[in-house]
Amino acid sequence: MRVVVVFETLFGTTRDVAESIAAGVTDGLPGAQVDVLRVGEAVPERVALADLLIVGGPTHNGGPTTILSRTARVAAEERKEPGDRHGLEPGAEGAGIRDWFHGLPQTDGERHAAAFDTRVDIPLAGGAGPGIALRLRFRGYEVVERPEGFFVEGNGGPLRDGERQRARSWGEGLARMVADRVASSTGHVATIRPGEVTHAAALATSGPSMQVLTEDVCYELLGTQEIGRLGVNAEDYPLVYPVNFGLDGTTIIIRSEPGTKLDAAEQAHVTFEVDEIDRRTRSGWSVLVRGVAEELKPGHGADVVLRTIAYGVDPWAPGAYGIWLRLRPQAISGRRILPGELPPPIDPRAYL
């Protein structure tokens, strides 16, 4: 049995967890081939044949890291006095888990996976694990266990006492579970969550298919992205603005600056759309939210105000984005196009 553990880390705590998980896999399956790879090393060829793929990373702003959040953490570390800095890991300034998933191909058969993260143990901190697990499912993996979070002391670590051993035990349990499944694979049927279809099932038909997404899956998909489109009625036209956003439960959080967008959205019915498209396979999904937007004000209460700001939505565009909008959904719907057979390539190397 082959197991690959892929991790992203800035200060080394997630590496410690990944290595402990790998040690646990070896405890459970002494004969297993186990590779522990940083995201920069985990090229498709090194993970494609894994019977079990375990992926993990640190939590930033309640979910998986982004290029922006990684850059900001590295810059903040470099501004510290030398004696106060955490040591940056190799590849800290490179691509993270979100970027790595763009290059992970769909599985060509039944493959097992699991997700983990490192996080601080405070209310509403969230975790990167669920977003990682969702991306694994989209690539056709069967996620065999709920994502696991391992606690760190402060933003840079170290790991809390006992977490290395807990990670080792978790890895051992995963290995034994998947080994049992692989041994009985001829009779095993992967469980498909409501609103989801495996890639293999999608390819069973010759043409593309359309899938209606459940409400739960729609919200999970929203949680994997950070850019959406806010639609408002203004200046005699429906206008659409690209915005950075975050999620507080099911409430969408947007930062804005004074102007047409804010004037039109405040206490108004708006739409909000998020999508992800793969041009190569002619597939993708789209989620549409209809709701009411309102400016965050002291009247919302201190708990809501602090919680909203804590999500740390950080607009990419320059400007003074000192105003926060909360969009309360009244309806949400989604569609996914699942690919059929790919069209003949123009270049023989097109799909290699």
Side-chain angles (χ1 to χ4, degrees), residues 194-196 210-215 217-218 333-337:
E196 293 190 8
M210 179 75 76
Q211 175 189 13
V212 177
L213 302 176
T214 66
E215 183 174 304
V217 171
C218 284
S333 59
R335 300 289 187 274
R336 179 186 288 143
I337 297 175

Side-chain angles (χ1 to χ4, degrees), residues 248-309:
D248 178 7
T250 61
T251 299
I252 295 164
I253 301 169
I254 300 168
R255 287 178 67 178
S256 181
E257 56 185 353
T260 302
K261 175 174 59 179
L262 179 63
D263 294 342
E266 168 64 3
Q267 294 297 333
H269 288 92
V270 300
T271 58
F272 187 74
E273 190 270 346
V274 178
D275 58 49
E276 185 172 62
I277 297 169
D278 186 339
R279 294 178 63 186
R280 184 185 68 84
T281 60
R282 298 186 178 186
S283 62
W285 57 265
S286 175
V287 171
L288 177 66
V289 176
R290 287 170 284 184
V292 175
E294 57 188 12
E295 182 181 342
L296 180 69
K297 296 180 178 179
H300 282 91
D303 178 62
V304 173
V305 172
L306 292 174
R307 190 169 72 237
T308 300
I309 296 174

